PDB file of all heavy atoms in Angstrom:
ATOM      1  N   GLN A  24      54.840 -31.051  28.209  1.00  0.00           N
ATOM      2  CA  GLN A  24      55.767 -31.698  29.076  1.00  0.00           C
ATOM      3  C   GLN A  24      55.147 -32.997  29.679  1.00  0.00           C
ATOM      4  O   GLN A  24      55.824 -33.967  29.865  1.00  0.00           O
ATOM      5  CB  GLN A  24      56.195 -30.731  30.184  1.00  0.00           C
ATOM      6  CG  GLN A  24      57.051 -29.588  29.707  1.00  0.00           C
ATOM      7  CD  GLN A  24      57.346 -28.569  30.814  1.00  0.00           C
ATOM      8  OE1 GLN A  24      56.789 -28.691  31.873  1.00  0.00           O
ATOM      9  NE2 GLN A  24      58.207 -27.601  30.481  1.00  0.00           N
ATOM     10  N   MET A  25      53.888 -32.939  29.995  1.00  0.00           N
ATOM     11  CA  MET A  25      53.169 -34.089  30.526  1.00  0.00           C
ATOM     12  C   MET A  25      53.184 -35.254  29.482  1.00  0.00           C
ATOM     13  O   MET A  25      53.446 -36.404  29.837  1.00  0.00           O
ATOM     14  CB  MET A  25      51.732 -33.758  30.920  1.00  0.00           C
ATOM     15  CG  MET A  25      50.977 -34.899  31.535  1.00  0.00           C
ATOM     16  SD  MET A  25      49.163 -34.728  31.334  1.00  0.00           S
ATOM     17  CE  MET A  25      49.044 -34.919  29.593  1.00  0.00           C
ATOM     18  N   CYS A  26      52.954 -34.907  28.260  1.00  0.00           N
ATOM     19  CA  CYS A  26      52.935 -35.917  27.174  1.00  0.00           C
ATOM     20  C   CYS A  26      54.293 -36.578  27.079  1.00  0.00           C
ATOM     21  O   CYS A  26      54.425 -37.809  26.911  1.00  0.00           O
ATOM     22  CB  CYS A  26      52.568 -35.254  25.879  1.00  0.00           C
ATOM     23  SG  CYS A  26      50.806 -34.832  25.796  1.00  0.00           S
ATOM     24  N   ASN A  27      55.359 -35.770  27.125  1.00  0.00           N
ATOM     25  CA  ASN A  27      56.695 -36.301  27.061  1.00  0.00           C
ATOM     26  C   ASN A  27      56.945 -37.263  28.236  1.00  0.00           C
ATOM     27  O   ASN A  27      57.638 -38.309  28.074  1.00  0.00           O
ATOM     28  CB  ASN A  27      57.736 -35.192  27.072  1.00  0.00           C
ATOM     29  CG  ASN A  27      57.708 -34.453  25.743  1.00  0.00           C
ATOM     30  OD1 ASN A  27      57.332 -34.990  24.699  1.00  0.00           O
ATOM     31  ND2 ASN A  27      58.138 -33.176  25.752  1.00  0.00           N
ATOM     32  N   GLN A  28      56.499 -36.903  29.406  1.00  0.00           N
ATOM     33  CA  GLN A  28      56.723 -37.778  30.557  1.00  0.00           C
ATOM     34  C   GLN A  28      55.966 -39.084  30.416  1.00  0.00           C
ATOM     35  O   GLN A  28      56.479 -40.147  30.774  1.00  0.00           O
ATOM     36  CB  GLN A  28      56.309 -37.029  31.792  1.00  0.00           C
ATOM     37  CG  GLN A  28      57.212 -35.891  32.245  1.00  0.00           C
ATOM     38  CD  GLN A  28      56.645 -35.086  33.455  1.00  0.00           C
ATOM     39  OE1 GLN A  28      55.682 -35.507  34.021  1.00  0.00           O
ATOM     40  NE2 GLN A  28      57.378 -34.002  33.807  1.00  0.00           N
ATOM     41  N   VAL A  29      54.750 -39.014  29.870  1.00  0.00           N
ATOM     42  CA  VAL A  29      53.999 -40.216  29.654  1.00  0.00           C
ATOM     43  C   VAL A  29      54.723 -41.163  28.697  1.00  0.00           C
ATOM     44  O   VAL A  29      54.771 -42.338  28.860  1.00  0.00           O
ATOM     45  CB  VAL A  29      52.583 -39.851  29.174  1.00  0.00           C
ATOM     46  CG1 VAL A  29      51.794 -41.162  28.734  1.00  0.00           C
ATOM     47  CG2 VAL A  29      51.793 -39.120  30.206  1.00  0.00           C
ATOM     48  N   PHE A  30      55.247 -40.601  27.618  1.00  0.00           N
ATOM     49  CA  PHE A  30      56.010 -41.330  26.633  1.00  0.00           C
ATOM     50  C   PHE A  30      57.200 -42.027  27.311  1.00  0.00           C
ATOM     51  O   PHE A  30      57.513 -43.202  27.061  1.00  0.00           O
ATOM     52  CB  PHE A  30      56.534 -40.450  25.508  1.00  0.00           C
ATOM     53  CG  PHE A  30      55.541 -40.359  24.375  1.00  0.00           C
ATOM     54  CD1 PHE A  30      55.040 -39.140  23.964  1.00  0.00           C
ATOM     55  CD2 PHE A  30      55.140 -41.474  23.720  1.00  0.00           C
ATOM     56  CE1 PHE A  30      54.155 -39.029  22.940  1.00  0.00           C
ATOM     57  CE2 PHE A  30      54.256 -41.398  22.617  1.00  0.00           C
ATOM     58  CZ  PHE A  30      53.755 -40.157  22.248  1.00  0.00           C
ATOM     59  N   GLU A  31      57.919 -41.277  28.196  1.00  0.00           N
ATOM     60  CA  GLU A  31      59.110 -41.822  28.889  1.00  0.00           C
ATOM     61  C   GLU A  31      58.794 -42.944  29.809  1.00  0.00           C
ATOM     62  O   GLU A  31      59.553 -43.928  29.873  1.00  0.00           O
ATOM     63  CB  GLU A  31      59.850 -40.738  29.605  1.00  0.00           C
ATOM     64  CG  GLU A  31      60.503 -39.675  28.686  1.00  0.00           C
ATOM     65  CD  GLU A  31      61.090 -38.466  29.479  1.00  0.00           C
ATOM     66  OE1 GLU A  31      60.903 -38.505  30.711  1.00  0.00           O
ATOM     67  OE2 GLU A  31      61.611 -37.584  28.828  1.00  0.00           O
ATOM     68  N   LYS A  32      57.686 -42.886  30.573  1.00  0.00           N
ATOM     69  CA  LYS A  32      57.360 -43.849  31.587  1.00  0.00           C
ATOM     70  C   LYS A  32      56.508 -44.954  31.042  1.00  0.00           C
ATOM     71  O   LYS A  32      56.464 -46.055  31.740  1.00  0.00           O
ATOM     72  CB  LYS A  32      56.621 -43.176  32.740  1.00  0.00           C
ATOM     73  CG  LYS A  32      57.464 -42.125  33.455  1.00  0.00           C
ATOM     74  CD  LYS A  32      56.755 -41.447  34.570  1.00  0.00           C
ATOM     75  CE  LYS A  32      57.601 -40.339  35.264  1.00  0.00           C
ATOM     76  NZ  LYS A  32      56.844 -39.705  36.383  1.00  0.00           N
ATOM     77  N   SER A  33      55.840 -44.806  29.938  1.00  0.00           N
ATOM     78  CA  SER A  33      54.966 -45.822  29.436  1.00  0.00           C
ATOM     79  C   SER A  33      55.621 -46.637  28.319  1.00  0.00           C
ATOM     80  O   SER A  33      56.415 -46.144  27.554  1.00  0.00           O
ATOM     81  CB  SER A  33      53.650 -45.210  28.938  1.00  0.00           C
ATOM     82  OG  SER A  33      52.875 -46.223  28.310  1.00  0.00           O
ATOM     83  N   SER A  34      55.356 -47.980  28.316  1.00  0.00           N
ATOM     84  CA  SER A  34      55.822 -48.863  27.272  1.00  0.00           C
ATOM     85  C   SER A  34      54.821 -49.117  26.204  1.00  0.00           C
ATOM     86  O   SER A  34      55.034 -49.867  25.245  1.00  0.00           O
ATOM     87  CB  SER A  34      56.303 -50.208  27.853  1.00  0.00           C
ATOM     88  OG  SER A  34      55.205 -50.841  28.506  1.00  0.00           O
ATOM     89  N   ARG A  67      61.092 -33.013  21.370  1.00  0.00           N
ATOM     90  CA  ARG A  67      61.036 -34.333  22.065  1.00  0.00           C
ATOM     91  C   ARG A  67      59.689 -35.025  21.732  1.00  0.00           C
ATOM     92  O   ARG A  67      59.637 -36.253  21.509  1.00  0.00           O
ATOM     93  CB  ARG A  67      61.180 -34.132  23.593  1.00  0.00           C
ATOM     94  CG  ARG A  67      62.595 -33.943  23.996  1.00  0.00           C
ATOM     95  CD  ARG A  67      62.678 -33.652  25.537  1.00  0.00           C
ATOM     96  NE  ARG A  67      62.217 -34.812  26.233  1.00  0.00           N
ATOM     97  CZ  ARG A  67      61.641 -34.713  27.457  1.00  0.00           C
ATOM     98  NH1 ARG A  67      61.589 -33.541  28.075  1.00  0.00           N
ATOM     99  NH2 ARG A  67      61.213 -35.807  28.098  1.00  0.00           N
ATOM    100  N   TYR A  71      59.199 -38.644  19.869  1.00  0.00           N
ATOM    101  CA  TYR A  71      58.404 -39.761  20.464  1.00  0.00           C
ATOM    102  C   TYR A  71      57.307 -40.243  19.476  1.00  0.00           C
ATOM    103  O   TYR A  71      57.081 -41.433  19.271  1.00  0.00           O
ATOM    104  CB  TYR A  71      57.785 -39.310  21.792  1.00  0.00           C
ATOM    105  CG  TYR A  71      58.738 -39.258  22.913  1.00  0.00           C
ATOM    106  CD1 TYR A  71      58.751 -38.141  23.752  1.00  0.00           C
ATOM    107  CD2 TYR A  71      59.631 -40.261  23.170  1.00  0.00           C
ATOM    108  CE1 TYR A  71      59.637 -38.074  24.814  1.00  0.00           C
ATOM    109  CE2 TYR A  71      60.498 -40.210  24.242  1.00  0.00           C
ATOM    110  CZ  TYR A  71      60.529 -39.095  25.065  1.00  0.00           C
ATOM    111  OH  TYR A  71      61.453 -39.048  26.078  1.00  0.00           O
TER     112      TYR A  71
END
Side-chain angles (χ1 to χ4, degrees):
Q24 291 175 353
M25 182 203 68
C26 289
N27 288 335
Q28 290 175 5
V29 172
F30 271 121
E31 290 173 359
K32 294 179 181 180
S33 174
S34 59
R67 284 177 60 204
Y71 285 134

